[in-house]
Amino acid sequence: MRYQHIARQQRKLLVYFSGWGTPISIAKTLQLPNDFDLLICYDYRDLNLEFGFSGYQEIYVVAWSLGVWVAERVLHSIPLTYAVAINGTGAPKHDQFGIPMAVFEGTLASLSEENLAKFERRMCGKIALENYRLLPEKRNFTEVKQELAYLNDCIMQDNRTGLLAWQKAIIGNKDKIIPPQNQLEYWQNQPQTKIQLIDAEHYLFNHFSGWQELLKDTACS
């Protein structure tokens, strides 16, 4: 795993777990509260995060899509203040709670640059697609394919769920990647998680201008 640390010597840290294969510049489009540092995690061709969290008094997590599953493996031993899952579950390859298994396997087996472009269209919808494709820091296709293959192997070997306490799950009701009904069924079985259903696609960051909107009801300034 790779990461980018935006350090401003603050006592609060926001940790963002990217969706599979997506540019880290997504995280930089959102305004960061003045009293936060930011850690952007991405490139899940391994699940090792070598980062020292001990300097922070409060740690907040926002994880998107397959990043939800990754965050549960990486942060399960780290005390967290607040965690938000966006269009993802702890069972991302699952006929009832995630991406249907045949769809997941078909995406991996047929992955090409052309099919990745089709995936992005389904992920964003018409309105957000142009904005998404203009984002800088695009990922290398070979790396992206390796990442999905590695994640698939790991997910098949590790079906544990509930490794983190998620205070909120945001679900886009137009999500064409992880069916909204599957997400709802998963999170309705997590009594500590508040569900926020919004009118959005799988890629929904165009609906927000700042991290404080995602961390609503928490201590942001």
Side-chain angles (χ1 to χ4, degrees):
M1 183 183 308
R2 288 188 281 172
Y3 67 82
Q4 188 172 121
H5 185 209
I6 299 173
R8 305 189 299 193
Q9 288 71 53
Q10 300 300 319
R11 66 183 184 87
K12 298 179 185 179
L13 177 67
L14 174 63
V15 188
Y16 167 66
F17 282 85
S18 300
W20 159 66
T22 56
I24 63 172
S25 54
I26 290 172
K28 300 172 187 177
T29 65
L30 300 175
Q31 183 178 358
L32 186 66
N34 293 329
D35 54 348
F36 275 79
D37 286 356
L38 177 64
L39 183 70
I40 306 169
C41 301
Y42 67 106
D43 190 2
Y44 309 133
R45 288 179 292 168
D46 68 67
L47 297 182
N48 300 315
L49 177 58
E50 297 180 3
F51 181 82
F53 290 94
S54 60
Y56 290 98
Q57 296 180 22
E58 299 179 26
I59 300 171
Y60 298 74
V61 176
V62 175
W64 176 36
S65 192
L66 295 186
V68 174
W69 185 90
V70 174
E72 292 209 343
R73 271 83 202 146
V74 173
L75 297 181
H76 63 87
S77 63
I78 304 294
L80 302 178
T81 304
Y82 196 82
V84 181
I86 299 175
N87 279 337
T89 74
K93 184 181 180 182
H94 194 284
D95 289 338
Q96 184 179 358
F97 298 133
I99 301 169
M101 295 182 70
V103 174
F104 196 115
E105 290 165 4
T107 300
L108 177 58
S110 64
L111 193 60
S112 63
E113 293 190 57
E114 180 182 358
N115 285 339
L116 181 60
K118 293 178 181 178
F119 178 89
E120 291 174 348
R121 285 199 292 273
R122 293 198 308 276
M123 179 178 78
C124 296
K126 293 180 180 179
I127 295 173
L129 180 62
E130 183 177 354
N131 170 268
Y132 177 82
R133 289 189 168 165
L134 290 174
L135 288 169
E137 301 178 276
K138 284 292 196 308
R139 298 283 309 286
N140 173 275
F141 173 74
T142 300
E143 292 181 356
V144 167
K145 188 170 185 177
Q146 292 170 348
E147 181 180 348
L148 187 60
Y150 181 77
L151 283 172
N152 178 63
D153 290 344
C154 291
I155 291 166
M156 294 304 294
Q157 294 170 22
D158 184 356
N159 59 8
R160 294 173 296 162
T161 60
L163 301 182
L164 288 185
W166 299 91
Q167 280 71 33
K168 183 164 68 170
I170 300 175
I171 301 172
N173 64 6
K174 295 178 180 176
D175 193 329
K176 299 179 186 68
I177 304 301
I178 306 180
Q181 186 58 43
N182 286 14
Q183 295 183 55
L184 281 167
E185 287 198 37
Y186 180 84
W187 292 112
Q188 285 168 351
N189 288 318
Q190 312 294 323
Q192 79 280 9
T193 306
K194 176 184 176 182
I195 298 171
Q196 181 181 353
L197 192 65
I198 70 170
D199 188 26
E201 305 278 353
H202 188 69
Y203 172 77
L204 48 63
F205 293 96
N206 55 310
H207 291 267
F208 300 93
S209 60
W211 291 106
Q212 68 274 14
E213 298 172 58
L214 297 167
L215 298 172
K216 199 171 290 183
D217 303 323
T218 67
C220 293
S221 62

